[in-house]
């Protein structure tokens, strides 16, 4: 693929992604203030965050993969249950992931 | 808003921003492998600025996919940000077209998570702006680093990065499930449902789509029913 074509892909793709973001912010407020909509959106973040946790922990491309990320997540959950600060949770998870990698290769 | 609440939101936003932003190294390396030059990689992070879409685009290009297919996959994953925008609009309440045009670029997974996790609207805006600024700066800097040759990033460092990001999302999810949150039992069921649907769909849909599908499935499961509408 030529450099010019790649630039076109980058620019057109980026413009499209930007317009998708803008569209969401531009929906009239009345639409999102309906009771059932507010009820749904109250719980959308939990579904979203949990889906992201699951996908980023257990998948690689199309496959389900168990690796150091799951150990890191378990350590993070333990740290959260013990009310550790956010940064500590992240450092512990990262260290666990690195440790599992060193032990398994 | 209290000073300590602001400090907590700022710390979380910057912490998540740095952790997620470091992933730009991986994107830069992936873009390089797909045949983009460093300027094209940087332009993608500056202009597209939505990680899953960026990875999808270079993934399709790297696998030999066509330009339209690469754009299509990026847009497919980008629809998630439209849903986030609807959620964020009342929190951010952008006044005027220019402000809305500016805020829109930072509507992504992480800034949405930060904003909706904040206890009030003022703190939601603070979390969104601090998180957006941090991620934007770090993500673009590390994209350039990755594109310029950090493809040789050590495997151990990569393994650490891989473990940090899901932990960051879990940290944001945690308070919503804990006693004292709004209907924590419902939130726990919703979270389990979202995770289960996303994992179940992973082998069958393009990477990233399962997250959107999980949110849609859970939202449909919670749609209003005639017998409940009377009570509400």
């Amino acid at each position: 693929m030529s450099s010019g074509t790649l630039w076109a892909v980058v620019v057109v793709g980026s413009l499209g992604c930007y317009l998708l973001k803008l569209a969401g912010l531009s929906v009239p407020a009345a639409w999102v203030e309906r009771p059932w909509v507010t009820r749904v959106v109250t719980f959308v973040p939990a579904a979203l965050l949990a889906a992201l946790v699951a996908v980023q922990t257990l998948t690689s491309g199309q496959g389900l993969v168990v690796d150091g990320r799951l150990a890191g997540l378990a350590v993070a959950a333990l740290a959260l249950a013990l009310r550790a600060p956010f940064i500590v949770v992240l450092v512990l998870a990262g260290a666990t992931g690195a440790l599992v990698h060193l032990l398994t290769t | 808003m209290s000073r300590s609440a602001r400090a907590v939101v700022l710390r979380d936003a910057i912490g998540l921003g740095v952790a997620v932003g470091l992933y730009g190294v991986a994107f830069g390396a992936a873009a390089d492998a797909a045949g983009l030059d460093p300027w094209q990689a940087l332009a993608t992070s500056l202009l597209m600025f939505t990680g899953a879409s960026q990875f999808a685009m270079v993934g399709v290009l790297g696998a030999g996919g066509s330009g339209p297919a690469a754009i299509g996959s990026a847009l497919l994953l980008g629809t998630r940000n439209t849903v986030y925008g609807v959620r964020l609009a009342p929190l951010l309440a952008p006044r005027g077209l220019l402000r809305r045009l500016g805020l829109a670029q930072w509507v992504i997974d992480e800034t949405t998570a930060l904003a909706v996790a904040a206890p009030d609207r003022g703190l939601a805006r603070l979390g969104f702006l601090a998180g957006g600024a941090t991620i934007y700066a770090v993500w673009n800097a590390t994209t350039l680093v990755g594109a310029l040759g950090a493809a040789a990033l050590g495997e151990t460092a990569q393994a650490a990065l891989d473990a940090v990001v899901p932990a960051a999302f879990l940290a944001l999810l945690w308070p919503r499930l804990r006693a004292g949150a709004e209907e924590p039992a419902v939130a726990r069921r919703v979270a389990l449902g979202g995770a289960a649907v996303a994992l179940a769909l992973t082998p069958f849909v393009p990477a990233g789509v399962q997250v959107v599908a999980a949110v849609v499935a859970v939202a449909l499961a919670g749609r209003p029913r005639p017998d409940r509408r009377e009570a509400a």
Side-chain angles (χ1 to χ4, degrees):
Chain A
M1 200 173 284
S2 74
S3 178
T5 310
L6 282 174
W7 272 115
V9 170
V10 168
V11 170
V12 173
S14 297
L15 182 64
C17 284
Y18 176 74
L19 291 175
L20 285 169
K21 294 173 179 175
L22 187 62
L25 279 186
S26 307
V27 167
W31 191 88
V32 290
E33 281 165 7
R34 292 182 201 173
W36 74 267
V37 175
T38 58
R39 170 88 184 147
V40 168
V41 295
T42 298
F43 293 107
V44 159
L48 151 73
L49 291 168
L52 287 169
V53 169
V55 166
Q56 303 219 5
T57 303
L58 289 167
T59 73
S60 181
Q62 302 283 106
L64 298 181
V65 176
V66 173
D67 58 22
R69 293 174 297 173
L70 187 59
L73 191 72
V75 170
L78 185 64
L80 286 164
L82 296 173
R83 299 182 181 259
F86 189 74
I87 291 294
V88 174
V89 172
L90 299 189
V91 168
L92 288 175
T96 305
L99 184 65
V100 169
H101 178 79
L102 287 174
L103 293 176
T104 55
T105 49
Chain B
M1 63 189 86
S2 77
R3 182 169 291 191
S4 68
R6 288 178 62 92
V8 166
V9 167
L10 271 178
R11 192 192 61 202
D12 288 359
I14 293 169
L16 179 70
V18 170
V20 170
L22 290 176
Y23 245 75
V25 171
F27 172 71
D32 178 65
L36 272 67
D37 66 34
W39 292 115
Q40 290 166 334
L42 182 60
T44 306
S45 282
L46 284 169
L47 300 175
M48 188 174 283
F49 189 58
T50 172
S53 292
Q54 293 181 225
F55 276 108
M57 187 185 81
V58 299
V60 171
L61 290 175
S66 66
I71 294 169
S73 68
L75 293 181
L76 195 57
L77 296 190
T79 56
R80 189 161 83 260
N81 295 324
T82 306
V83 177
Y84 294 161
V86 173
R87 178 76 180 95
L88 286 172
L91 289 173
L92 301 178
R95 275 175 305 230
L97 182 63
L98 273 181
R99 202 163 297 186
R100 184 184 306 163
L101 289 173
L103 287 176
Q105 180 68 336
W106 286 355
V107 174
I108 55 171
D109 290 328
E110 292 80 9
T111 51
T112 304
L114 285 164
V116 301
D120 66 40
R121 270 177 53 176
L123 292 172
R125 292 171 68 102
L126 181 68
F128 178 89
L129 292 173
T134 307
I135 298 172
Y136 198 72
V138 179
W139 178 258
N140 280 291
T142 55
T143 292
L144 200 51
V145 170
L148 288 173
L153 176 70
E155 284 187 13
T156 305
Q158 184 63 51
L161 264 185
D162 285 343
V164 163
V165 172
F169 284 119
L170 182 68
L172 289 168
L173 173 62
W174 201 265
R176 309 186 76 87
L177 310 180
R178 178 175 270 168
E182 193 174 347
E183 298 184 64
V186 177
R188 274 182 229 130
R189 283 203 300 277
V190 164
L192 276 178
V197 171
L199 287 180
L201 288 179
T202 293
F204 309 109
V205 297
V209 173
Q210 72 275 57
V211 175
V212 180
V215 173
V216 171
V218 170
L220 287 178
R223 74 193 184 282
R225 296 179 182 88
D227 56 330
R228 293 202 187 160
R229 206 175 285 163
E230 297 299 321

